[in-house]
Amino acid sequence: GLGVSTEGSAVPEMSRVLEEHPVVASVKDDEDFRAVLRSDCAVVFLLYGSLLTIEQQVAELKRHGKAVLVNVDLLEGFGGREVVVEYLRQRTAADGVLSSKAHMVRAAREAGMHAVHRFFLIDSLSYRNLARQVRLSRADSVEILPGCMPRVIGWVVADIEVPLIAGGLVCDREDVFAALKAGAAAVASSNHEVWEM
């Protein structure tokens, strides 16, 4: 699993893990969950679950040696409040949290979990607001979606000081290499063939 440094941030450890394993498995349903247990992917972004299932899901992934980051925006039964981060910290062995909400990212960071701020880059306004939002959230890493835009990846990498993960619509080997060449530290994909790279 990912260690937490004495400064309360898992950045150096996660940076090393991503450097060694730059393909992250995005797990969105039970079929993906079963497949990722058989995969060599070391890092999992868990994009589904509920109050009733999350403890068991994280425990099973950890038993299979995975680093697990939970998307708190997509968990059913929690309502987008900071208490979900504390719940995950106390009741699971999750290594980190993903969220598109700055307050949730900040709560994860303060709880000593790796905090990934997700951004959906749909236009120039969303791009221009990104660096300021990262400063506010104090994210350990940033995930941009869609991740199949090498030019935009380069722009964002130049604007932020934390590792960038390219996620969403990363469909094949060419997308992976283009994102990494543009400066992404890692790519996140739900495509099982990409996981096997």
Side-chain angles (χ1 to χ4, degrees), residues 89-133:
R89 191 186 68 73
Q90 287 187 22
R91 304 289 297 270
T92 76
D95 299 288
V97 164
L98 299 115
S99 180
S100 60
K101 298 173 177 73
H103 69 100
M104 297 298 282
V105 175
R106 209 169 27 253
R109 181 80 194 265
E110 290 167 3
M113 301 178 83
H114 190 84
V116 179
H117 200 155
R118 301 182 96 205
F119 290 91
F120 298 89
L121 294 182
I122 56 170
D123 57 19
S124 59
L125 180 62
S126 57
Y127 164 71
R128 284 195 305 271
N129 286 326
L130 189 148
R132 183 177 62 79
Q133 289 295 316

Side-chain angles (χ1 to χ4, degrees), residues 145-165:
L145 299 101
C148 56
M149 306 178 298
R151 177 185 297 186
V152 176
I153 290 169
W155 295 344
V156 174
V157 166
D159 289 343
I160 62 174
E161 297 177 7
V162 297
L164 180 135
I165 301 159

